[in-house]
Amino acid sequence: MPRVAKLLLLGIAATTFCRSTAEAQDADKPNNYAAFTTALSALAVSNQDAIQNERNAARLEFVRQQVANKVLAAFPADSSKAPVTDPNNTLSIAGVVDESSLLCGFRSDKQEIVKSISGRDSTASITVDHLTTLAQQNYLTAVAGKLQALAAPSKADDIFSAFKSLFATYQITVSAQPKVDEKDRTNIRKSCEADLKEFDAAFFGARIPEAPSPGGRSASAVIGADQLSLFGPVGAFAGTIMGIIQPVLVDFANLASDFEKKKAIKTFLSDTSNQGKLRDSGLGLGRTGSDYLFSKRLSLAGTFAEQIAVLTGDSLDLGSKPVQAACPAPYDAMYRRGSDGLPSAQFRRCYRAVWSHFEDGITAALKTAAAYDQLADAGDTSTQLNGYKALTNDFSKVADESGAVDFWDTVSKMLTFAGAVETAVSQDNLKKLQQSLDAISKGK
């Protein structure tokens, strides 16, 4: 072979080797897709504390704001103004805090509590819009999960590839949008308000009669069944959902390759006796679970309403020695900041004397609100019952694997609900929520 030809072949071989080596090295490097997906996941996870606690943090801030307004009115900085107090020189939060606004308003509405919290960041505020926050997190989490699932190996030998094969397509399409429309907000508020109107049977064990109202209808009479439906979470509980389906999907994803096993499963699910037992047992368990969760949610609404009734019925005697000692006249002295720029120690002591009178009741009510939020966030308590009823209405969809798209859409909703409820009733989760609220309250 001529020398030139040999050199040419060596050059081609060297070029091919270098290109292959470079491609192999590039394959080992994190690409931009991986970096972006990681950023999505990090952003969603880092805001989990806000997702869990923003509503109650805003509720607490709102109540503190109302107490502060009462203090400012009762101890005016302008000595020419008369103190504004309740009858008999008392201070209460009756009339500025109510059950529906505090429990339901912070679930459904966007509320600006404090417009500006610092001159160092002109846009920083204390504003709560939990539905938008949740929708944004759900959307980012769903997209990150979809991208990760699509990048997984094609063979279903782990949870991610199984998730891709059987579930991910439907998970991304279930309410995974970064915005919330006004209909969702209205439905959530109405559902919460309906819980407050109907808690008596679940909480007291008996319906409390209403005084006759000529020509009128009772509040509960106008509550429709559609108001049970809520804007349940989608992506926030992806980790819990993964745990539920992992043992099932990994095994079943490759079932098509084992004809005899698939035949045995089809035979069992095609038997009418087995179908009847599965249908009756599932519907019975679904009804029991739905009724239990609905009653529990109503009882939490009742507990909250009772706590607010006690709280707003309480009052502080402003003439008592502790209050007089903490808030001495002249009141304008309380509003003189020192050289350090802090609100005066006298004002801080005065506010604390007033706040401490209501603090335990407020904290207890907000812990109940947090527990209610968790359970109400899961959505319609009949989700599992209705889903299972739809799946077993025609067993041919199971035995013959027909109607797969509709089938998995129903299953995805059931899995999402299961994950949400598991989180809502978890004692560890509730304990963490209460500890977070304690930390927020004490940090104030």
Side-chain angles (χ1 to χ4, degrees):
M1 182 181 293
R3 178 180 176 82
V4 174
K6 288 182 178 180
L7 290 174
L8 182 60
L9 288 175
L10 288 173
I12 292 173
T15 301
T16 302
F17 175 77
C18 290
R19 183 183 296 116
S20 299
T21 302
E23 289 175 351
Q25 291 174 343
D26 288 342
D28 292 335
K29 296 178 181 178
N31 57 42
N32 289 349
Y33 301 141
F36 182 70
T37 303
T38 301
L40 286 181
S41 300
L43 181 60
V45 171
S46 65
N47 284 283
Q48 190 60 34
D49 183 64
I51 291 290
Q52 292 289 346
N53 297 304
E54 70 166 335
R55 286 173 295 193
N56 255 12
R59 286 177 179 126
L60 177 62
E61 189 69 26
F62 174 78
V63 177
R64 291 188 68 90
Q65 184 182 70
Q66 304 314 305
V67 173
N69 290 338
K70 289 278 189 172
V71 170
L72 296 176
F75 307 101
D78 187 343
S79 58
S80 65
K81 293 184 177 181
V84 179
T85 66
D86 296 331
N88 302 318
N89 195 32
T90 59
L91 185 152
S92 74
I93 55 177
V96 295
V97 174
D98 70 274
E99 298 87 348
S100 181
S101 297
L102 198 58
L103 185 65
C104 305
F106 283 86
R107 287 183 52 75
S108 60
D109 304 335
K110 179 178 180 179
Q111 300 198 39
E112 184 180 71
I113 312 303
V114 182
K115 186 173 183 179
S116 177
I117 60 175
S118 172
R120 291 170 291 165
D121 184 347
S122 60
T123 61
S125 67
I126 298 179
T127 302
V128 59
D129 185 1
H130 182 71
L131 293 183
T132 295
T133 303
L134 182 64
Q136 290 169 341
Q137 190 206 40
N138 284 345
Y139 178 74
L140 296 179
T141 302
V143 170
K146 179 67 172 179
L147 294 176
Q148 187 173 7
L150 291 175
S154 58
K155 183 181 178 182
D157 55 4
D158 57 40
I159 180 58
F160 295 108
S161 52
F163 194 70
K164 169 191 171 183
S165 300
L166 298 178
F167 189 69
T169 300
Y170 306 104
Q171 177 68 7
I172 191 92
T173 60
V174 181
S175 303
Q177 297 297 325
K179 293 183 179 180
V180 183
D181 66 32
E182 290 306 312
K183 183 178 179 181
D184 288 321
R185 294 187 187 277
T186 299
N187 285 341
I188 288 177
R189 176 180 270 278
K190 285 183 176 180
S191 179
C192 179
E193 291 173 345
D195 284 350
L196 287 173
K197 294 173 183 176
E198 288 189 325
F199 72 75
D200 48 337
F203 184 69
F204 298 115
R207 291 195 179 279
I208 308 305
E210 298 181 49
S213 177
R217 298 177 64 191
S218 65
S220 59
V222 298
I223 298 173
D226 59 314
Q227 292 177 13
L228 289 174
S229 179
L230 296 177
F231 182 77
V234 179
F237 302 95
T240 305
I241 296 170
M242 286 280 204
I244 295 171
I245 65 174
Q246 181 169 1
V248 179
L249 294 193
V250 172
D251 291 337
F252 275 81
N254 294 311
L255 184 63
S257 63
D258 196 324
F259 177 77
E260 291 301 323
K261 290 182 178 179
K262 187 173 183 179
K263 182 179 179 181
I265 293 172
K266 181 175 181 178
T267 299
F268 177 84
L269 294 178
S270 298
D271 184 275
T272 55
S273 176
N274 293 335
Q275 290 177 358
K277 293 174 184 177
L278 287 168
R279 185 183 294 109
D280 293 344
S281 297
L283 294 181
L285 182 60
R287 170 51 66 187
T288 298
S290 176
D291 291 350
Y292 171 78
L293 291 174
F294 193 18
S295 176
K296 186 172 184 176
R297 197 178 83 198
L298 291 174
S299 294
L300 286 170
T303 300
F304 178 81
E306 182 180 77
Q307 290 168 326
I308 294 299
V310 172
L311 184 62
T312 55
D314 189 17
S315 60
L316 173 64
D317 181 4
L318 298 180
S320 65
K321 289 184 178 180
V323 175
Q324 290 292 308
C327 312
Y331 302 138
D332 62 320
M334 292 198 302
Y335 301 100
R336 296 172 188 164
R337 292 180 181 250
S339 58
D340 56 8
L342 296 174
S344 71
Q346 184 179 330
F347 178 82
R348 284 176 273 162
R349 286 192 293 268
C350 181
Y351 184 89
R352 182 62 197 175
V354 175
W355 176 258
S356 61
H357 180 81
F358 301 102
E359 184 175 19
D360 289 345
I362 292 169
T363 300
L366 294 186
K367 286 181 178 180
T368 301
Y372 174 87
D373 283 339
Q374 291 290 296
L375 192 54
D377 285 347
D380 186 348
T381 58
S382 297
T383 295
Q384 300 289 58
L385 173 63
N386 294 336
Y388 193 78
K389 187 182 295 182
L391 297 182
T392 57
N393 184 52
D394 182 359
F395 255 99
S396 65
K397 291 185 177 182
V398 182
D400 299 332
E401 298 185 287
S402 59
V405 174
D406 293 338
F407 199 89
W408 275 100
D409 184 58
T410 299
V411 172
S412 71
K413 294 174 183 176
M414 293 176 67
L415 285 170
T416 301
F417 180 81
V421 170
E422 182 175 321
T423 301
V425 301
S426 166
Q427 291 301 312
D428 288 341
N429 181 62
L430 292 175
K431 183 178 180 180
K432 289 178 181 178
L433 283 174
Q434 293 181 354
Q435 289 174 340
S436 296
L437 182 58
D438 286 336
I440 293 171
S441 179
K442 292 176 182 177
K444 293 290 186 182

